[in-house]
């Protein structure tokens, strides 16, 4: 277990901008019990190498106050009705559409966000971690069964097409007329069975049309078109949290019949608390789940790790202690998270030890983990090992493993191998998929072959009648990376004239474009337009930060504070690196920042070593009675 805890926390010598999640609940039985089990030698299901102190480097011990700390979880409800134990592993290893990026179908139909009347938190567009990952976002989790039920019908072709009718009716209806459209749909004697509803709900979620999905759910309940079970209440709770916020979602739980207020309901609420980085609410919900004696599942623990991996790596060890005490076995997803955490600390040896431990437990490496390893090997400059894994992923016959091409394009680009990018692209070029084209555009941009990226873009425009908006935003990012301001402006104009809504990805690329060109004020005006244009789709976290950093370097306190405030207004929780950036503005301006510690404390943000040094610097600018006299 200690091997896992070792992978959970950053080395003390590393400087990480982490927001401290320090809401505490005194005498937490959960963690006290975990400590007690260690003291009394309680046996557990964990491999012995996990409980060996030799696997713990400096700084990877559980937090000293873990007896008092509350542990939080991250993750939307699993499939409703899922049992504890092994089923959770399958749940976590498969990523659903619930929080996934807008995608496109094989014919290239645009499946961009079409949000009607709801406030959307765009997790896949939010660069909260300030990281660029080669792999899919592990935050994505499975839908409740109402959305994941397969529409199985082997008796009739008509039945296979029938479920889409409901979705098409809802999609075509104006937001304010969805209920009327549903009434008309039923009067025409259309089927409204669970398979039909499931597929309609799934397609609405895919397109992030949460407002219409919520209307459908409420209409079904009101008109008794569906006998609601716990999974259905959980689905509606999730939609309420996404559309109306956590407070309304909490109130909705009180209206759910007590017999249906099971673990799935609270896991759904918990997931939405975590997806908004609301640490206090997430901790409170987790504590309530423990008080209600819900079983501690691998899913819940893995989501705990996922949350702390993002916000406070030191507390991951506490989660692992809790798992050990409750005999919760680590799953493949546990290893995925911890391997990535270890790689982020640049501890390659420790990362490799975790891989070996994982193999000894019977888990084989999948391409997700291989991609994670390659990413960290490249970052550490261990390119030989990275290439070895990439070749292993490729296999002997790439034509028989076409699905891996997308990853290979990214990875070879990361290795700086333009010739390998060319070779992989030739395999795809004759019959390209949209995701392969997007990967190729990004890969060519990474290796500096902008003209090749443009060729792939033109291929997408010719191949698909209406390609997804991401085709434009991906090329726009390439232009931003290479400071091609004129081309970027022209592409943005083309995107708008072609009828695409400028989404947060596009806004972010435009912001970067102007920042890279040295036009910070213009980048700021683009951000202000993005904020004002559509209240339902907030700009990306990174869009704020790149501008804030530029103002901070100038010592422009007014504009740095302005961006800081706008981030809060847009719903982003203040983190330590935002405060670091703000402090840098005061330091560069050589102006004292009065009350700064109190501001941080109010946001539950506590100084790390780097911030403490910055605070000491600004203290030197404060005037004293004698300095006033001398001035």
């Amino acid at each position: 277990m200690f091997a896992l805890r070792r992978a959970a926390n950053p080395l003390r010598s590393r400087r990480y901008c982490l927001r401290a999640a320090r809401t505490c609940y005194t005498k937490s039985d959960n963690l006290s019990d975990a400590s007690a089990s260690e003291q009394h030698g309680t046996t557990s299901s964990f491999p012995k190498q996990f409980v060996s102190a030799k696997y713990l480097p400096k700084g990877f011990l559980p937090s000293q106050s873990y007896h008092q700390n509350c542990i939080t979880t991250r993750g939307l409800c699993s499939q409703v009705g899922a049992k504890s134990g092994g089923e959770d592993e399958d749940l976590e290893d498969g990523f659903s559409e619930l929080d996934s990026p807008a995608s496109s179908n094989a014919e290239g139909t645009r499946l961009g966000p079409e949000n009607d009347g709801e406030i959307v938190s765009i997790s896949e567009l939010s660069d909260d971690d300030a990281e660029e990952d080669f792999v899919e976002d592990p935050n994505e989790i499975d839908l409740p069964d109402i959305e994941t039920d397969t529409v199985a019908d082997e008796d009739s072709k008509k039945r296979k097409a029938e479920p889409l009718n409901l979705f098409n009716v809802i999609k075509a209806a104006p937001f304010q007329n969805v209920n009327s459209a549903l009434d008309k749909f039923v009067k025409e004697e259309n089927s409204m069975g669970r398979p039909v509803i499931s597929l309609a709900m799934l397609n609405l979620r895919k397109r992030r049309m949460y407002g219409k999905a919520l209307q459908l759910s409420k209409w079904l309940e009101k008109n008794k078109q569906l006998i609601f079970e716990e999974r259905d209440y959980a689905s509606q709770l999730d939609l309420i949290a996404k559309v109306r916020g956590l407070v309304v979602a909490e109130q909705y739980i009180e209206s759910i019949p007590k017999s249906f207020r099971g673990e799935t309901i609270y896991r759904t609420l918990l997931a939405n608390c975590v997806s908004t980085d609301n640490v206090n609410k997430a901790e409170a919900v987790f504590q309530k789940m423990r008080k209600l004696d819900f079983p501690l599942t691998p899913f819940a623990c893995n989501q705990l790790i996922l949350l702390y991996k993002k916000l406070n790596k030191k507390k991951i060890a506490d989660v692992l202690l809790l798992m050990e005490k409750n005999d919760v076995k680590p799953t493949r997803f546990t290893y995925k998270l911890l391997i990535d955490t270890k790689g982020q600390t640049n501890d390659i040896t420790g990362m490799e030890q975790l891989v070996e431990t994982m193999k000894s437990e019977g888990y084989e490496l999948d391409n997700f983990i291989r991609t994670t390893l390659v990413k960290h090997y490249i970052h550490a400059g261990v390119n030989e090992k990275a290439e070895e894994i990439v070749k292993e992923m490729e296999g002997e016959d790439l034509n028989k493993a076409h699905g891996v091409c997308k990853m290979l394009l990214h990875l070879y680009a990361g290795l700086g191998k333009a010739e390998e990018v060319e070779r992989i692209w030739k395999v795809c070029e004759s019959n390209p998929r949209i995701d392969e084209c997007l990967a190729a555009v990004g890969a060519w941009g990474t290796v500096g072959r902008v003209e090749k990226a443009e060729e792939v873009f033109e291929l997408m425009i010719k191949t698909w009648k209406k390609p997804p908006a991401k085709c434009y935003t991906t090329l726009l990012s390439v232009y931003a990376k290479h400071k091609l301001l004129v081309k970027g402006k022209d592409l943005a104009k083309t995107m708008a004239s072609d009828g695409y809504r400028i989404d947060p990805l596009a806004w972010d690329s435009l912001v970067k474009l102007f920042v890279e060109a040295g036009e910070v004020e213009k980048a700021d005006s683009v951000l202000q337009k993005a904020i004002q244009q559509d209240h339902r789709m907030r700009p990306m976290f990174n869009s704020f930060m790149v501008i804030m950093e530029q103002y901070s370097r100038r010592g422009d306190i007014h504009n740095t504070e302005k961006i800081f405030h706008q981030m809060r207004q847009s719903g982003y929780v203040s983190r330590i690196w935002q405060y670091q950036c703000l402090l840098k503005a005061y330091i560069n301006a050589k102006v004292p920042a009065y009350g700064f510690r109190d501001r941080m404390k109010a946001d539950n943000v506590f100084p790390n070593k780097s911030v403490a040094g910055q605070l000491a610097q600004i203290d030197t600018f404060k005037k004293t009675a004698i300095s006033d006299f001398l001035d």
Side-chain angles (χ1 to χ4, degrees):
M1 185 61 190
F2 282 164
L4 286 179
R5 280 182 246 153
R6 175 177 185 259
N9 294 305
L11 295 169
R12 286 178 182 173
S13 60
R14 299 282 173 191
R15 293 184 178 182
Y16 282 91
C17 302
L18 300 173
R19 185 182 69 182
R22 300 192 179 184
T23 301
C24 298
Y25 292 81
T26 58
K27 297 181 180 180
S28 170
D29 293 337
N30 305 329
L31 293 176
S32 297
D33 287 348
S35 176
S37 77
E38 279 195 323
Q39 293 172 4
H40 294 90
T42 305
T43 60
S44 76
S45 63
F46 287 90
K48 289 191 176 181
Q49 55 265 48
F50 290 175
V51 292
S52 172
K54 71 179 181 179
Y55 284 96
L56 272 167
K58 295 178 182 179
F60 275 59
L61 292 169
S63 59
Q64 293 179 352
S65 60
Y66 73 84
H67 294 285
Q68 287 77 37
N69 286 347
C70 168
I71 290 191
T72 69
T73 71
R74 175 173 179 77
L76 190 62
C77 65
S78 67
Q79 291 181 339
V80 178
K83 297 175 183 177
S84 305
E87 292 183 12
D88 273 336
E89 182 182 342
D90 294 332
L91 187 67
E92 291 137 357
D93 289 345
F95 301 126
S96 77
E97 300 83 354
L98 185 59
D99 287 316
S100 61
S103 58
S104 62
N105 60 12
E107 290 73 36
T109 303
R110 184 185 177 209
L111 301 183
E114 295 179 37
N115 311 294
D116 298 280
E118 72 271 21
I119 297 173
V120 177
S121 174
I122 308 178
S123 62
E124 82 282 358
L125 301 182
S126 179
D127 207 357
D128 289 7
D129 284 329
E131 298 172 348
E132 291 183 1
D133 292 329
F134 291 123
V135 297
E136 295 107 338
D137 185 357
N139 297 349
E140 298 165 14
I141 39 181
D142 286 302
L143 299 167
D145 284 346
I146 187 170
E147 284 89 22
T148 55
D149 281 342
T150 55
V151 183
D153 188 351
E154 301 174 355
D155 300 325
S156 170
K157 291 183 180 179
K158 179 182 176 182
R159 184 71 178 277
K160 289 181 180 179
E162 197 176 59
L164 284 175
N165 294 340
L166 177 59
F167 164 71
N168 289 331
V169 165
I170 298 171
K171 182 182 178 184
F175 184 78
Q176 62 273 17
N177 294 334
V178 170
N179 288 344
S180 301
L182 289 169
D183 291 336
K184 182 180 178 182
F185 183 81
V186 172
K187 285 179 183 178
E188 292 174 355
E189 299 182 357
N190 286 291
S191 171
M192 284 287 281
R194 187 174 285 273
V196 177
I197 296 165
S198 296
L199 190 57
M201 191 70 76
L202 176 60
N203 277 283
L204 289 168
R205 282 186 179 271
K206 269 186 174 182
R207 292 154 179 81
R208 307 187 68 82
M209 300 170 72
Y210 298 135
K212 286 186 174 181
L214 179 58
Q215 288 192 66
L216 171 59
S217 180
K218 285 182 170 293
W219 183 90
L220 291 169
E221 184 178 20
K222 180 181 178 181
N223 292 276
K224 304 190 186 305
Q225 292 288 332
L226 192 68
I227 299 175
F228 264 50
E229 302 171 4
E230 184 177 358
R231 57 182 177 176
D232 306 312
Y233 287 113
S235 174
Q236 189 169 132
L237 173 65
D238 174 59
L239 293 169
I240 290 172
K242 283 177 164 55
V243 175
R244 299 181 180 173
L246 295 174
V247 174
V248 179
E250 285 182 291
Q251 295 170 351
Y252 171 71
I253 290 179
E254 299 303 315
S255 69
I256 298 174
K258 286 188 178 180
S259 59
F260 293 118
R261 292 185 211 167
E263 180 193 9
T264 302
I265 296 296
Y266 287 95
R267 285 170 72 174
T268 302
L269 178 63
L270 180 61
N272 280 281
C273 292
V274 175
S275 69
T276 58
D277 293 335
N278 194 324
V279 177
N280 292 342
K281 277 193 180 295
E283 289 176 338
V285 172
F286 179 78
Q287 284 297 315
K288 186 160 187 176
M289 292 172 70
R290 299 294 285 159
K291 289 178 182 177
L292 291 172
D293 293 325
F294 292 136
L296 189 65
T297 63
F299 179 88
C301 293
N302 286 341
Q303 299 309 311
L304 273 170
I305 295 169
L306 186 57
L307 177 62
Y308 286 136
K309 174 177 176 285
K310 185 178 181 181
L311 299 179
N312 191 346
K313 291 178 175 66
K314 290 183 179 180
K315 296 181 80 173
I316 295 178
D318 299 343
V319 182
L320 299 175
L321 280 173
L322 188 63
M323 292 175 67
E324 183 178 6
K325 162 62 177 122
N326 288 273
D327 200 25
V328 179
K329 294 183 179 181
T331 67
R332 181 191 299 274
F333 194 67
T334 313
Y335 287 103
K336 288 179 182 179
L337 294 173
L338 296 181
I339 287 170
D340 191 37
T341 303
K342 176 58 69 177
Q344 288 175 2
T345 69
N346 208 29
D347 184 354
I348 301 302
T349 301
M351 182 178 74
E352 292 172 337
Q353 288 176 340
L354 272 173
V355 171
E356 292 305 313
T357 302
M358 174 183 170
K359 289 179 179 178
S360 70
E361 288 301 300
Y363 292 110
E364 295 296 327
L365 294 182
D366 57 21
N367 283 337
F368 182 102
I369 295 178
R370 289 190 182 99
T371 303
T372 302
L373 291 171
V374 172
K375 177 186 69 172
H376 293 307
Y377 278 138
I378 292 173
H379 185 264
V382 191
N383 286 6
E384 298 82 6
K385 289 186 176 182
E387 287 183 49
E388 185 179 331
I389 294 176
V390 175
K391 289 295 182 185
E392 182 183 337
M393 292 172 65
E394 185 175 338
E396 296 181 0
D397 188 354
L398 191 57
N399 290 305
K400 293 181 179 179
H402 215 276
V404 78
C405 288
K406 172 186 172 182
M407 288 182 279
L408 293 176
L409 286 165
H410 283 303
L411 297 177
Y412 277 125
L415 286 163
K417 293 187 172 293
E419 68 281 0
E420 295 298 329
V421 172
E422 176 80 43
R423 180 175 62 84
I424 301 299
W425 173 240
K426 283 183 178 178
V427 176
C428 308
E429 194 171 10
S430 59
N431 185 26
R433 294 166 46 183
I434 199 78
D435 59 341
E436 292 168 350
C437 291
L438 292 170
V441 172
W444 285 125
T446 300
V447 297
R449 301 285 295 277
V450 177
E451 73 286 352
K452 284 285 189 180
E454 292 172 332
E455 287 177 15
V456 180
F457 175 79
E458 292 300 327
L459 176 64
M460 287 190 283
I461 298 298
K462 292 175 183 177
T463 304
W464 288 279
K465 193 174 182 179
K466 187 75 170 178
K470 199 169 183 182
C471 295
Y472 290 85
T473 56
T474 304
L475 182 59
L476 199 56
S477 295
V478 171
Y479 287 152
K481 184 181 296 184
H482 294 280
K483 304 181 181 180
L484 299 173
L485 182 59
V486 175
K487 285 190 173 184
K489 286 180 178 180
D490 291 341
L491 182 62
K493 291 175 182 177
T494 301
M495 184 179 180
S497 64
D498 286 348
Y500 291 92
R501 179 166 60 177
I502 306 298
D503 63 10
L505 268 175
W507 287 118
D508 185 61
S509 296
L510 286 169
V511 166
K512 290 178 183 175
L513 194 66
F514 285 109
V515 167
E516 291 295 336
E519 298 185 21
V520 180
E521 286 74 15
K522 182 63 177 177
D524 193 352
S525 70
V526 169
L527 179 63
Q528 301 311 314
K529 289 178 182 177
I531 294 170
Q532 297 166 12
Q533 179 170 324
D534 194 341
H535 71 281
R536 299 170 297 177
M537 298 180 67
R538 65 180 179 178
M540 291 171 61
F541 180 88
N542 189 63
S543 301
F544 290 98
M545 286 302 298
V546 293
I547 297 174
M548 189 175 172
E549 286 169 0
Q550 293 299 316
Y551 284 137
S552 177
R553 289 174 188 172
R554 295 178 178 181
D556 187 339
I557 295 172
H558 171 76
N559 280 312
T560 308
E561 287 277 15
K562 179 192 75 175
I563 301 297
F564 183 90
H565 179 64
Q566 287 178 335
M567 293 181 78
R568 294 174 67 98
Q569 286 184 316
S570 295
Y572 289 109
V573 178
S574 296
R575 298 184 185 173
I576 197 162
W577 51 75
Q578 290 156 265
Y579 276 107
Q580 279 186 303
C581 190
L582 190 55
L583 276 168
K584 187 177 176 183
Y586 282 92
I587 291 170
N588 290 337
K590 297 184 179 180
V591 173
Y594 295 101
F596 210 90
R597 289 178 176 80
D598 291 334
R599 287 176 65 177
M600 295 179 65
K601 188 176 181 181
D603 280 334
N604 255 347
V605 177
F606 297 87
N608 57 16
K609 187 176 180 180
S610 175
V611 172
Q614 288 180 302
L615 289 169
Q617 263 189 284
I618 61 173
D619 284 343
T620 62
F621 302 136
K622 292 181 180 179
K623 290 188 175 183
T624 62
I626 188 65
S627 65
D628 284 338
F629 175 77
L630 292 173
D631 288 344

